[in-house]
Amino acid sequence: MHAKTKPSTIDRFDDDDYPAYTMGRAAEMIGATPGFLRAIGEARLITPLRSEGGHRRYSRYQLRIAARARELVDAGTPIEAACRIVILEDQLEEALRINEELRRVPAD
């Protein structure tokens, strides 16, 4: 058996789930405020990881989710409804992906 190795820094660049972005940088990237990120966190749309110092850290996947919620809020959707819509969209996308995978599996 091979010893488990720590992912290299280069591998982390390709990891959509790696919490690489601080709250300030994340807010800047999606054109929102840190307060917006806190609000969608409180609505449980995303749960940022915490650094050893307790600071919120966001992944690219979480930023895509947050950006979609921001689009809906900017269009006039209340934040709670926007979060629910994004969750349902994400669940639908995953279900469609699984469905497509199952269609590719040859029948026994």
Side-chain angles (χ1 to χ4, degrees):
M1 294 207 53
H2 296 287
K4 187 172 182 175
T5 58
K6 188 175 179 181
S8 73
T9 302
I10 292 174
D11 293 337
R12 291 179 183 156
F13 289 131
D14 293 330
D15 185 353
D16 256 6
D17 295 317
Y18 182 72
Y21 304 99
T22 63
M23 176 180 274
R25 180 69 179 125
E28 179 183 312
M29 289 174 71
I30 66 166
T33 64
F36 176 79
L37 290 174
R38 280 191 291 276
I40 63 174
E42 289 170 9
R44 296 189 178 161
L45 177 61
I46 58 175
T47 304
L49 290 159
R50 298 283 182 151
S51 68
E52 289 181 16
H55 299 281
R56 291 174 179 89
R57 304 285 293 193
Y58 298 88
S59 69
R60 289 187 314 202
Y61 171 75
Q62 289 173 324
L63 292 184
R64 283 195 302 274
I65 295 292
R68 177 64 181 130
R70 184 182 164 272
E71 289 174 1
L72 291 167
V73 169
D74 287 352
T77 305
I79 196 161
E80 297 82 13
C83 290
R84 185 68 182 138
I85 289 167
V86 172
I87 289 167
L88 291 170
E89 288 175 342
D90 196 50
Q91 289 172 343
L92 176 60
E93 184 178 321
E94 178 68 6
L96 292 171
R97 184 192 62 75
I98 291 168
N99 220 2
E100 184 59 32
E101 283 179 12
L102 292 173
R103 285 187 188 137
R104 287 189 214 140
V105 175
D108 289 334

